[in-house]
Amino acid sequence: MSFPQSDLVQRGISDEFYQALEAAVGAAHVVVDPKAMEPRLIEDRGLYRGSALALVRPGTTEEVAKVVRVCRAAAVPIVPQGGNTGLVGGGVPQDAVVLVTDRLNRIRAVDPLNSTMTVEAGCILSNIQQAANDIDRLFPLSLASEGSCQIGGNLSTNAGGTAVLRYGNMRELVLGLEVVLPDGEILNDLNGLRKNNTGYDLRNLFIGAEGTLGIITAAVLKLYSKPVLRATALVACEGPQAALALYDRLRSRNADSLSTFEYIERIALQMVLDHTPGCADPMAQEHPAYVLVELTSSDPEADLDTRLEAALAAAFEVEEILDAVIGASESQRDALWALRENLSEAQKFAGASIKHDVAVPVSRVAEFLMTASSACRAHVPAVRICPFGHFGDGNIHFNLSRPLDMSDADFLEEYPAFNRIVHDIVAELGGSISAEHGIGLVKRQELRRYKDPVALRVMEQIKTVLDPEGLMNPGKVL
Amino acid sequence: MSFPQSDLVQRGISDEFYQALEAAVGAAHVVVDPKAMEPRLIEDRGLYRGSALALVRPGTTEEVAKVVRVCRAAAVPIVPQGGNTGLVGGGVPQDAVVLVTDRLNRIRAVDPLNSTMTVEAGCILSNIQQAANDIDRLFPLSLASEGSCQIGGNLSTNAGGTAVLRYGNMRELVLGLEVVLPDGEILNDLNGLRKNNTGYDLRNLFIGAEGTLGIITAAVLKLYSKPVLRATALVACEGPQAALALYDRLRSRNADSLSTFEYIERIALQMVLDHTPGCADPMAQEHPAYVLVELTSSDPEADLDTRLEAALAAAFEVEEILDAVIGASESQRDALWALRENLSEAQKFAGASIKHDVAVPVSRVAEFLMTASSACRAHVPAVRICPFGHFGDGNIHFNLSRPLDMSDADFLEEYPAFNRIVHDIVAELGGSISAEHGIGLVKRQELRRYKDPVALRVMEQIKTVLDPEGLMNPGKVL
């Protein structure tokens, strides 16, 4: 095999380095061909393009540790990558070795009675969901990229998605971790315990650290009882204030089964109706806003439809909602879900968009939506505001599509200005500028602006003590 | 005021130090009277006796920060104390300032629509429960000392208790924190957000750190929908294997409402019956083991009794259980709970006891109980083994009472030997030597023996970078 030369030799990276990588993982698993590396240099939306010395594909945790030690000895940065589906450029390398986790794809253990599963970082999320389903359990994490994203990436970004309302973020779905540290040692805490108070909680330090503190190689995941019933409704309402009242109503009585509360404004729904074949408005009239509501239960006698109907009837009675359609069959329920699931795709037809993945306290979602919408319209009057998302988590994807009569390029020039407008309002409301996507490259400057400086300093202290050479996914988060 | 002198002056701690403390919190809140300090020098069971330079009772976070800076300048250790109800000596001072949090007792904010409450560290747990109840919400943390323990202690020890099965440990009940760091700076992360991926999760680093990384001064707590119905049963069974089968049955169909699954062996129940006035066996016959089961719901129409009856009838049908009593009224349900709640107290009548707060995977609880019981009987044949606890969390209080014909002193000499026997089995089964009580002073040596050395090293690195002088609750955990 011939290795890239040129300036690498000048930097002291020579054949010996590549040979050491090959010795660590086998020659077949060190990739330097530019064409083969290409898909690993860019992120999903093409916002960033990086460069790599090699892709390395270890097959075991011990091999990951060897790669880390080889890179460390040569002072070469390491960027771990799973499915490379992240949305903030967290996996983009710069003159680094890309450590691809796809060969770490074993389900090491399944323990139905403990409701746990021990998986390696490279397992694809949908495969994990399926393996849980095979033993009559649920692994609840669910997100758009589940067919290709890997659990290692889900862990490193503390992934969110549509099941957070009921089951929590990725962080809440993990009991134990195995991590290769920046010095190549292996932290072994693959415990399957619900209770364990033996020292500092290192697990949560690595979860959500976006690969900057070490490489997660395996995890013990929590499984849940499999729901066997669901009741699904699309509910129309006047706007966020009404949605909040409905949320409070459902939560107070149906807390045991409430699993979904997703908000969609009409303009966003209209984009789905306009651009997604097979999607139709289930209501006769147009309404300002909608909520997709779902109750689920593992009790086959739970009679969720009756409960949902009763709750919605009571809400209708007091004019909290304008209309509602309850799915009467699995296919009708799937059709209601399709209206939510196709939002991101449909918005692509509307031209350039400027997105904000933000969260505020649930009590302030309505205030956020109204204030931020006004402020954005004051900046660009014809901007099309398409907010939707996880209302019950306080997490809104506050997406702006360009005005019909504006070019993509002109609109995208307003990216920083819109960021400032929206993030300032989020900060004012005690919110987060990154609810579920993380910081990566994209939001690094914004983090410096909005994060408590003392918290930033502690983050830097931890980074420095665990990764003094700064070789683990450098330039991300901090 | 006259300050303790003697060897303190030699150590450079003089009037100026005490005056600086008084300047920080007001003279009335610096206590040096030995009699007044006494209750703060010992822990609940009198296993350890410490010494203090002063008790200091700051009234605000800013005052906590000032105290920390004064102590740091004088190189005086600080031991934070809440209700001083811990079980592992985590609050015992040694030549330290005891920072008592009881004046930090304000509920700063209540947000019913966000289901959150912002509380200061010195709030007593039962007051927080009541404040949640007042707005029709539940703060689920519940444990024996709830009438006097403070939330700051609950946070610092990641408290467990009887509601973990449904709601998780303390860790899972927190959204944001305010912490005074070892250098006297204030980390402000009092967010009330369900989703927030903006950098490392510092919150979980301070939770469960037992005051060794800083002093938690306030927290944003998650509240839940208030249950309005409960169904409670005492179920008799052959032993842990049958209990596990019952647990699996209830979890698979009644996951939405299952809130309690507490295991009690006959010998432990008998102690309650023998020593607790008003407690009676609700069954005609004696049985080897029992489980206290409770379903709860916030839906007034949930009909939990019917569901519980159906599940227990099915279990009886297949001889999984031997008998069951369902509480028919609130007072009957309370009476069933009293059998569980009086276990620790009743055991005191049986003489000296050697306790183990351990956890294993739920699937291995039966194996643990059988193996550990045999091994303990092999060591001291007449030892009375009284295991009980949070079966559904895998957390058993594996308590040993002395043989009837053995003195307390002779039995307690076997403490280290029994620890080794039980903890070795726990480790073999992938368990934890401290499920919910923490490490403190009591389990520090055990931690060194059983914890992954790499994890220990990372813990030490974090301790060193955040508290280089080692002044925060020294000698605890690490």
Side-chain angles (χ1 to χ4, degrees):
Chain A
M1 188 196 273
S2 83
F3 301 115
Q5 297 290 337
S6 64
D7 63 323
L8 296 182
V9 178
Q10 290 166 29
R11 290 175 47 206
I13 297 164
S14 57
D15 281 6
E16 283 72 40
F17 172 70
Y18 287 97
Q19 282 152 5
L21 289 179
E22 290 189 347
V25 300
H29 304 300
V30 178
V31 176
V32 295
D33 172 46
K35 224 160 127 184
M37 291 206 287
E38 180 62 21
R40 295 289 180 173
L41 306 183
I42 50 172
E43 44 78 72
D44 208 39
R45 289 180 290 177
L47 294 177
Y48 292 91
R49 200 180 180 291
S51 61
L53 305 186
L55 309 186
V56 179
R57 301 172 61 238
T60 65
T61 301
E62 194 41 64
E63 287 185 5
V64 173
K66 281 182 192 164
V67 170
V68 169
R69 290 194 292 265
V70 167
C71 289
R72 194 179 184 218
V76 169
I78 305 172
V79 177
Q81 267 192 20
N84 198 22
T85 60
L87 295 171
V88 290
V92 177
Q94 197 64 51
D95 284 346
V97 160
V98 179
L99 191 149
V100 179
T101 52
D102 57 358
R103 291 179 64 229
L104 298 165
N105 61 355
R106 280 167 293 265
I107 293 179
R108 289 194 196 161
V110 177
D111 185 343
L113 283 174
N114 195 40
S115 274
T116 52
M117 191 185 284
T118 307
V119 301
E120 293 183 345
C123 289
I124 289 172
L125 175 53
S126 59
N127 293 346
I128 293 172
Q129 294 166 340
Q130 186 57 50
N133 192 62
D134 290 346
I135 56 159
D136 251 358
R137 297 286 188 278
L138 172 75
F139 181 64
L141 188 71
S142 178
L143 35 91
S145 59
E146 62 196 25
S148 58
C149 67
Q150 296 174 13
I151 197 72
N154 300 145
L155 289 158
S156 294
T157 57
N158 183 30
T162 54
V164 174
L165 184 67
R166 177 84 174 260
Y167 299 99
N169 295 283
M170 182 73 237
R171 195 180 291 295
E172 277 86 43
L173 308 177
V174 186
L175 295 176
L177 282 188
E178 180 187 82
V179 182
V180 173
L181 297 176
D183 61 6
E185 285 209 72
I186 298 168
L187 175 78
N188 181 1
D189 188 25
L190 278 178
N191 78 78
L193 304 170
R194 259 72 185 176
K195 280 184 172 174
N196 182 21
N197 274 343
T198 54
Y200 305 157
D201 181 35
L202 303 179
R203 169 186 57 175
N204 279 303
L205 199 55
F206 295 104
I207 298 173
E210 304 185 28
T212 62
L213 298 178
I215 299 167
I216 297 172
T217 49
V220 181
L221 306 179
K222 282 158 79 174
L223 306 180
Y224 293 80
S225 298
K226 193 162 108 177
V228 293
L229 286 182
R230 61 172 177 159
T232 315
L234 188 73
V235 183
C237 63
E238 279 295 352
Q241 205 70 53
L244 182 58
L246 178 65
Y247 177 63
D248 196 47
R249 169 186 301 276
L250 290 168
R251 185 178 50 184
S252 69
R253 283 191 57 153
N254 299 97
D256 304 344
S257 54
L258 182 63
S259 297
T260 304
F261 196 92
E262 296 282 317
Y263 183 75
I264 312 166
E265 296 213 346
R266 177 69 203 185
I267 184 174
L269 185 73
Q270 193 62 51
M271 288 181 185
V272 174
L273 300 176
D274 290 347
H275 299 293
T276 314
C279 278
D281 189 338
M283 297 180 194
Q285 268 191 288
E286 291 189 15
H287 297 289
Y290 303 84
V291 180
L292 181 74
V293 174
E294 191 164 87
L295 309 182
T296 62
S297 178
S298 54
D299 180 352
E301 286 161 28
D303 200 5
L304 298 178
D305 277 334
T306 305
R307 287 205 227 178
L308 185 54
E309 273 170 39
L312 295 179
F316 191 78
E317 191 77 19
V318 297
E319 297 179 22
E320 200 169 273
I321 64 174
L322 302 171
D323 198 359
V325 175
I326 298 184
S329 64
E330 275 303 275
S331 66
Q332 281 188 18
R333 288 185 275 268
D334 288 344
L336 296 177
W337 265 101
L339 299 173
R340 166 69 185 85
E341 285 167 341
N342 286 292
L343 282 168
S344 291
E345 277 305 308
Q347 216 195 344
K348 290 180 182 166
F349 292 91
S353 71
I354 296 173
K355 301 187 175 191
H356 304 87
D357 165 40
V358 299
V360 294
V362 179
S363 51
R364 309 193 83 170
V365 171
E367 187 180 351
F368 164 72
L369 283 171
M370 291 182 286
T371 312
S373 298
S374 300
C376 288
R377 287 202 188 95
H379 183 63
V380 175
V383 62
R384 288 174 293 167
I385 301 172
C386 307
F388 64 91
H390 319 297
F391 194 106
D393 309 320
N395 174 198
I396 296 294
H397 298 302
F398 191 75
N399 293 356
L400 311 175
S401 285
R402 65 159 172 74
L404 288 169
D405 59 355
M406 197 176 198
S407 74
D408 281 2
D410 283 353
F411 184 62
L412 288 176
E413 269 185 25
E414 302 302 324
Y415 218 121
F418 275 122
N419 271 191
R420 189 63 52 247
I421 289 168
V422 174
H423 290 166
D424 277 356
I425 292 169
V426 164
E428 183 66 33
L429 294 173
S432 168
I433 59 157
S434 187
E436 58 177 9
H437 296 165
I439 300 299
L441 280 169
V442 173
K443 294 191 180 174
R444 220 174 137 205
Q445 293 310 318
E446 294 294 279
L447 185 72
R448 303 232 141 243
R449 187 179 186 98
Y450 293 105
K451 188 89 175 174
D452 174 48
V454 178
L456 269 178
R457 190 256 292 168
V458 174
M459 285 169 57
E460 275 158 5
Q461 286 179 297
I462 290 169
K463 170 72 175 175
T464 303
V465 76
L466 293 183
D467 182 22
E469 286 94 0
L471 296 178
M472 303 307 294
N473 206 5
K476 314 295 162 53
V477 185
L478 283 169
Chain B
M1 188 198 274
S2 83
F3 301 114
Q5 295 292 336
S6 67
D7 63 323
L8 295 182
V9 178
Q10 289 165 30
R11 290 175 48 208
I13 295 164
S14 58
D15 281 6
E16 283 74 39
F17 173 68
Y18 286 96
Q19 282 152 4
L21 289 179
E22 290 189 345
V25 300
H29 303 300
V30 178
V31 177
V32 295
D33 172 45
K35 225 160 126 184
M37 291 205 287
E38 180 61 23
R40 295 288 181 173
L41 305 183
I42 51 173
E43 45 77 71
D44 208 39
R45 290 180 291 177
L47 294 178
Y48 292 90
R49 202 182 179 290
S51 61
L53 306 187
L55 308 186
V56 180
R57 301 171 62 238
T60 64
T61 301
E62 194 41 63
E63 287 185 5
V64 174
K66 281 183 192 164
V67 171
V68 169
R69 290 195 291 264
V70 168
C71 289
R72 193 179 186 219
V76 169
I78 305 173
V79 177
Q81 268 191 21
N84 198 22
T85 61
L87 296 170
V88 290
V92 177
Q94 197 64 49
D95 285 346
V97 160
V98 179
L99 191 149
V100 178
T101 51
D102 56 0
R103 290 180 64 228
L104 298 165
N105 62 355
R106 282 168 291 266
I107 292 180
R108 289 195 198 160
V110 177
D111 185 343
L113 283 174
N114 196 40
S115 273
T116 52
M117 191 184 283
T118 307
V119 301
E120 293 184 344
C123 289
I124 290 173
L125 175 53
S126 59
N127 293 346
I128 293 172
Q129 294 167 341
Q130 186 57 51
N133 192 62
D134 291 346
I135 56 159
D136 250 359
R137 297 286 188 277
L138 171 75
F139 180 65
L141 188 72
S142 178
L143 34 91
S145 59
E146 61 196 25
S148 58
C149 68
Q150 296 173 13
I151 198 74
N154 301 144
L155 289 158
S156 293
T157 58
N158 183 28
T162 54
V164 174
L165 184 66
R166 177 83 174 260
Y167 299 98
N169 295 284
M170 183 73 236
R171 196 179 292 295
E172 277 85 45
L173 308 178
V174 187
L175 295 177
L177 282 188
E178 179 187 82
V179 182
V180 174
L181 298 175
D183 61 6
E185 285 208 72
I186 299 168
L187 174 78
N188 181 2
D189 188 26
L190 279 179
N191 77 77
L193 303 171
R194 258 73 186 177
K195 282 185 172 174
N196 182 22
N197 273 345
T198 53
Y200 304 157
D201 180 35
L202 303 180
R203 169 185 59 174
N204 279 302
L205 199 55
F206 296 103
I207 297 173
E210 304 186 29
T212 62
L213 298 179
I215 299 167
I216 297 173
T217 49
V220 181
L221 305 179
K222 282 158 79 174
L223 307 180
Y224 292 80
S225 299
K226 191 162 109 178
V228 294
L229 286 182
R230 60 173 179 160
T232 316
L234 188 73
V235 182
C237 64
E238 280 295 352
Q241 205 71 55
L244 182 58
L246 178 65
Y247 177 62
D248 196 47
R249 170 186 301 277
L250 289 168
R251 185 178 48 185
S252 69
R253 282 191 57 155
N254 299 97
D256 304 344
S257 54
L258 182 63
S259 297
T260 304
F261 196 92
E262 296 282 316
Y263 182 75
I264 312 168
E265 296 214 345
R266 176 70 202 184
I267 183 173
L269 185 73
Q270 193 62 52
M271 288 181 185
V272 173
L273 300 175
D274 290 347
H275 299 293
T276 313
C279 277
D281 189 339
M283 297 181 194
Q285 268 192 288
E286 290 188 16
H287 298 288
Y290 303 84
V291 180
L292 181 73
V293 174
E294 191 165 87
L295 308 183
T296 61
S297 178
S298 54
D299 181 352
E301 286 161 29
D303 201 5
L304 298 178
D305 277 335
T306 305
R307 286 205 228 178
L308 184 54
E309 272 170 40
L312 295 178
F316 192 78
E317 190 77 19
V318 296
E319 297 179 22
E320 202 169 271
I321 65 174
L322 302 170
D323 197 359
V325 175
I326 298 185
S329 63
E330 274 303 277
S331 66
Q332 281 188 20
R333 287 186 276 268
D334 288 344
L336 295 177
W337 265 101
L339 299 173
R340 167 67 185 85
E341 285 168 341
N342 285 292
L343 283 168
S344 291
E345 277 305 307
Q347 215 194 345
K348 291 181 182 166
F349 292 91
S353 71
I354 296 173
K355 302 187 174 190
H356 304 87
D357 166 42
V358 300
V360 294
V362 180
S363 50
R364 309 193 84 169
V365 172
E367 187 179 352
F368 165 73
L369 284 171
M370 291 182 284
T371 312
S373 298
S374 300
C376 289
R377 287 201 188 95
H379 184 63
V380 175
V383 62
R384 289 174 292 167
I385 300 171
C386 306
F388 65 90
H390 319 297
F391 194 105
D393 309 321
N395 174 199
I396 297 294
H397 298 302
F398 191 76
N399 292 356
L400 311 176
S401 286
R402 64 160 172 75
L404 288 168
D405 60 355
M406 196 176 200
S407 74
D408 280 1
D410 282 355
F411 184 63
L412 288 176
E413 269 185 24
E414 302 301 323
Y415 217 122
F418 276 121
N419 270 190
R420 189 62 54 248
I421 290 168
V422 174
H423 290 166
D424 277 357
I425 293 169
V426 164
E428 184 66 33
L429 295 174
S432 168
I433 59 157
S434 187
E436 56 178 11
H437 296 166
I439 299 299
L441 280 169
V442 173
K443 294 191 178 173
R444 220 174 137 208
Q445 293 310 317
E446 294 295 278
L447 185 72
R448 303 234 140 242
R449 188 179 184 97
Y450 293 104
K451 189 86 176 178
D452 174 46
V454 177
L456 269 178
R457 191 255 292 168
V458 174
M459 285 169 55
E460 276 159 5
Q461 286 178 296
I462 289 170
K463 169 73 175 175
T464 303
V465 76
L466 292 184
D467 181 22
E469 286 94 0
L471 297 178
M472 304 308 295
N473 207 5
K476 314 297 162 52
V477 185
L478 282 170

